[in-house]
Each structure stands twice: as C-alpha cells, then as structure tokens.
C-alpha cells in the first residue's frame, strides 16, 4: 500500500483499481472538458494571507449545514454509478460519512437503493432527486426518501438533458458493464474490483429497476433512462415537489445570480453553486469563480453551498471565506472509494479536514466560522 498524503494519491490508486469505463465516468467532463478543468485550477488563482504570532490553540472545523451539525463544512455530493466504483459503494460512502460526521447525499442514479443505504446506516442522509417525465416515479421516489428518514431533498436542476461526455460514449458505459472484448480485457486487470462485484447482488440502478413503470430488468432500463430526463422542468415544478416532500429542499446546479434569486423566490432552504462538475455546459464559469457574485446577490437571504473542484482543505477554506456555508466533494470521494473502499472515503475526508485545519492555523484563525474574504488575496480582486 503506497503512503497516501493527498487526494491525488487516491486518484492514482483508483485509476489502477477501477475499470476504465467507471474511472473515466468519474474523472471526465463534457466536450473539451474546459469547465471541468477550470473547476479545479481556478482555486489556485486565489491566494491566502499568512499570519504569525497568533494563538492557534483549540481550533475547530465544526459548523452547520442547513441546521445540521457537521464536523467540517463538507458534504459528500450525489454521484451516479457510485456502486460501480467499488462494490456497495453508496453504502460504504454513507457509513464513512456517518462515522466522520458529514452529510452523505444519495443519487437517484445510484447502484444501491435508498432502502439499501437506510438499512446500513443509523443517521439520516440526504437524497438527490432527478425529476423524470414519469411524474408518478418521481412522486414515489420522494415518498421512499421520506419513508427512509432522509433529512433533506437535493433537487438537481441542471440536467434537463445530458451534455455529451466523449469518454462514456467511447467506453460504452453501462451498469452492469457491457461485456465487449476491450472492456473484458480491462476488467480482467482489476481483480480486486471484480471479486468485490462478484460478492454483491447490487449491480444495477436499484432505485429504478422494479420501481419505474415497465422497468423490470436491465434490457428495459437503458431505454427508459435515455427518455426520462425532463427538458420541461421549470421553476413552477418546485411547488408540487415541495408539497410532496414537506421538508428541507436544496437546489443543486445554480451558476448564475439570476437563477440564485429564483431559488430564493421559490422558497428553497439552500442552493448549491454547481456546474455539475463540468459535465453539462462546457465553457460555463467554474463554480468557485461564480460563487462571489451569487453570494453578493442572495447570500444573506438563503444558505449558499458550493460544489466543483474541491480537492484540498484549502479549497474548502477558500470557498468558505468567499461566503459558502458548505462545500461538496464528488470526485475526491469517488477516488477514495475506488482506491480503498470505505477506508478510502474516510482517508479522503481526513485529508481534507487536516488540510483545512492546518491552513486555518497558518492564516491565524481558530474557528472555521470566522472565515471571511479578509483571509484571501487576489491580484484583480474579482469578487
């Protein structure tokens, strides 16, 4: 086992252990992948003010996200096909998050079902909803999330249609994987992954198969999924979703201040500044560069979170200093999961918390809740 010091170490290990089609699914963006890369690299433009001779004892990274106590301002983002990065991946991720003290968000397009995750955890998790053309399915999955005790509904609003991801098309991505000769050869080089998958029955989209009308097996699943993302989703749909859910709602996929104002208007409890990890509109702003204008527009009226490009605790600090009440890790979580299962998720979270804690200290801060723009330096002060 190599010495793991950073998220990049987990990424390299995951790339070795996860079949190419699933690793590429996690580690790619749409079209030229420009926005995907910018999500990460734009953090490096923001510099930090180092302070000295300040009492750094008794530091804390604890805070709240939508009123829930969290060990640090980080949640695990909803990611599709997580159970194909590692057998029972969503269950392992949820268990690691619960033990660590951060929220876990389960995707509609998960391999393990809502009920699977609820059975293996003892604290409420969050559920991410894609609104489908089949409104009966959407209503039923909301009801299932309520029955499982989920404490927040994360409604994704930026996937009315899919941005093209070249690697997925070339790899013939599917769950379970298509057994083409190149895919079989590649999977044969991943024995750890293969043994894990042989040991579980969870190998398809268990939130959908057996729950959506006419979807009883894999052959009917693919055609259903390709037709179901709803291009007619609009702000008026929030009314029936809120009524059906009856709890806290977080809107994910806001990247423009005008849309942030709409999120406030429809009564969301929080919004997530996100461009879907650079997997939708290539050429859109990075999440961190979009964050300041959204904070300035609505930040004192609605809780603002941020998703996209978080690889270090310093990234978390920068987003928090710019006004985000919380951040989300998607790829960093998947790298840890693919590399080492549940222990890898815990390692990823621990890396980020330690980096956040150390950076706070060197910036002269003891409490993550005291972070402000004063700790940041930028040549052009774009916020």
């Amino acid at each position: 086992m190599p010495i793991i010091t950073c998220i990049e170490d987990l990424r390299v290990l995951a790339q070795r252990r996860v079949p190419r089609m699933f690793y590429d699914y996690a580690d790619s963006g749409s079209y030229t992948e420009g926005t995907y890369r910018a999500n990460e690299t734009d953090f490096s433009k923001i510099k930090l003010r180092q302070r000295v001779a300040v009492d750094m004892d008794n530091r804390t990274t604890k805070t709240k996200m939508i009123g829930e106590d969290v060990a640090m301002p980080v949640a695990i983002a909803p990611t599709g096909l997580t159970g194909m990065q590692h057998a029972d991946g969503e269950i392992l991720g949820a268990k690691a998050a619960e033990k660590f003290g951060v929220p876990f968000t389960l995707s509609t397009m998960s391999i393990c079902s809502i009920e699977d995750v609820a059975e293996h955890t003892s604290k409420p998790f969050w559920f991410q909803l894609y609104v489908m053309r089949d409104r009966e399915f959407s209503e039923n999955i909301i009801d299932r999330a309520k029955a499982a005790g989920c404490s927040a509904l994360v409604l994704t609003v930026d996937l009315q249609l899919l941005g093209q991801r070249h690697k997925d098309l070339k790899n013939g991505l599917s769950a379970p994987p298509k057994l083409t000769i190149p895919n079989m050869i590649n999977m044969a080089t991943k024995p750890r992954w293969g043994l894990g998958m042989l040991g579980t029955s969870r190998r398809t989209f268990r939130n959908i198969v057996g729950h959506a009308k006419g979807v009883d097996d894999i052959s009917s699943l693919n055609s259903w999924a390709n037709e179901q993302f709803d291009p007619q989703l609009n702000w008026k749909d929030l009314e029936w979703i809120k009524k059906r859910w009856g709890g806290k709602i977080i809107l994910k996929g806001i990247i423009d201040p005008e849309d942030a104002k709409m999120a406030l208007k429809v009564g969301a409890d929080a919004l997530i500044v996100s461009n879907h990890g650079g997997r939708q509109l290539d050429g859109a702003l990075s999440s961190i560069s979009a964050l300041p204008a959204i904070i300035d527009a609505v930040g004192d009226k609605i809780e603002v979170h941020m998703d996209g490009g978080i690889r270090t605790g310093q990234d978390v600090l920068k987003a928090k200093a710019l006004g985000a009440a919380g951040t989300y890790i998607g790829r960093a979580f998947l790298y840890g999961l693919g590399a080492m299962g549940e222990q890898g998720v815990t390692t990823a979270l621990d890396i980020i918390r330690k980096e956040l804690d150390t950076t706070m200290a060197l910036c002269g801060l003891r409490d993550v809740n005291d972070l402000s723009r004063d700790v940041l330096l930028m040549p052009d002060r774009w916020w």
Side-chain angles (χ1 to χ4, degrees):
M1 176 66 66
I3 296 173
I4 304 297
T5 63
C6 59
I7 298 299
E8 174 63 12
D9 290 341
L10 292 172
R11 185 199 67 78
V12 171
L13 192 56
Q15 189 174 26
R16 294 210 305 260
R17 292 182 170 177
V18 178
R20 180 178 54 242
M21 70 162 62
F22 299 120
Y23 173 80
D24 282 353
Y25 172 78
D27 197 43
S28 64
S30 62
Y31 297 99
T32 70
E33 300 189 339
T35 298
Y36 162 47
R37 291 190 299 272
N39 270 353
E40 188 174 351
T41 59
D42 280 359
F43 275 102
S44 66
K45 300 174 184 177
I46 305 171
K47 305 305 178 185
L48 302 170
R49 294 178 64 194
Q50 183 172 347
R51 303 300 303 275
V52 297
V54 177
D55 184 355
M56 299 177 183
D57 201 13
N58 298 317
R59 295 182 305 280
T60 181
T61 61
K62 294 180 180 179
T63 187
K64 292 180 181 290
M65 294 176 67
I66 61 166
E68 298 183 15
D69 292 328
V70 294
M72 60 178 172
V74 174
I76 291 182
T79 55
L81 287 166
T82 300
M84 285 292 160
Q85 301 292 324
H86 188 287
D88 298 335
E90 292 90 356
I91 292 172
L92 300 183
K95 289 171 66 176
E98 180 178 313
K99 292 172 186 175
F100 203 91
V102 297
F104 176 83
T105 317
L106 182 70
S107 171
T108 293
M109 305 304 291
S110 60
I111 301 302
C112 302
S113 69
I114 298 169
E115 293 79 10
D116 290 331
V117 175
E119 182 182 348
H120 289 86
T121 54
S122 59
K123 293 183 180 179
F125 55 94
W126 298 351
F127 180 69
Q128 174 268 333
L129 174 69
Y130 285 127
V131 178
M132 303 299 190
R133 290 179 187 268
D134 183 347
R135 288 295 197 262
E136 182 179 353
F137 170 80
S138 295
E139 290 175 349
N140 287 342
I141 203 168
I142 289 171
D143 294 345
R144 289 167 57 201
K146 287 172 63 175
C150 293
S151 57
L153 187 72
V154 179
L155 175 61
T156 296
V157 293
D158 64 351
L159 200 78
Q160 292 159 285
L161 52 84
L162 285 170
Q164 181 166 301
R165 302 153 195 174
H166 298 331
K167 292 175 184 175
D168 291 351
L169 293 174
K170 292 176 179 178
N171 288 329
L173 180 75
S174 66
K178 292 179 180 177
L179 296 180
T180 63
I181 291 175
N183 285 340
M184 286 191 291
I185 292 172
N186 181 253
M187 284 187 284
T189 67
K190 318 293 181 184
R192 182 190 300 258
W193 179 90
L195 287 172
M197 295 307 296
L198 285 173
T200 182
S201 60
R202 303 178 182 97
R203 304 190 197 98
T204 188
F205 295 107
R206 286 166 65 96
N207 278 331
I208 299 171
V209 174
H211 296 282
K213 190 180 301 182
V215 183
D216 300 313
D217 53 32
I218 292 300
S219 61
S220 55
L221 171 63
N222 288 334
S223 59
W224 182 90
N226 291 334
E227 296 169 357
Q228 279 298 318
F229 289 110
D230 191 355
Q232 296 182 356
L233 176 67
N234 60 78
W235 295 107
K236 292 180 180 179
D237 290 315
L238 266 293
E239 184 176 346
W240 70 264
I241 293 170
K242 283 185 63 178
K243 184 177 181 181
R244 190 83 182 196
W245 172 245
K248 293 180 180 179
I249 290 185
I250 304 171
L251 296 189
K252 181 177 182 289
I254 305 296
I255 207 74
D256 187 276
E258 293 305 311
D259 288 333
K261 293 175 184 176
M262 287 299 300
L264 176 64
K265 186 177 180 180
V266 299
D269 296 279
L271 65 86
I272 306 174
V273 178
S274 172
N275 52 35
H276 214 95
R279 296 163 65 78
Q280 285 295 91
L281 178 60
D282 191 33
L285 285 176
S286 68
S287 295
I288 192 62
S289 63
L291 175 62
I294 290 175
I295 290 291
D296 290 344
V298 300
D300 61 342
K301 303 179 184 70
I302 185 173
E303 192 165 310
V304 177
H305 302 171
M306 179 265 169
D307 162 74
I310 300 287
R311 302 291 185 274
T312 70
Q314 287 200 350
D315 296 338
V316 174
L317 182 144
K318 291 172 182 179
K320 189 80 168 68
L322 285 173
T327 63
Y328 294 71
I329 56 169
R331 290 184 175 94
F333 152 61
L334 293 177
Y335 298 151
L337 179 68
M340 300 162 53
E342 182 179 345
Q343 180 55 50
V345 179
T346 301
T347 299
L349 291 168
D350 198 44
I351 286 169
I352 289 172
R353 181 169 62 179
K354 287 178 179 177
E355 290 175 343
L356 172 60
D357 176 71
T358 299
T359 305
M360 282 171 47
L362 295 176
C363 290
L365 293 168
R366 292 192 295 181
D367 190 330
V368 74
N369 297 294
D370 293 336
L371 282 167
S372 70
R373 295 181 184 183
D374 290 341
V375 78
L376 306 178
L377 293 171
M378 274 287 294
D380 54 1
R381 301 284 293 188
W382 46 257
W383 61 78

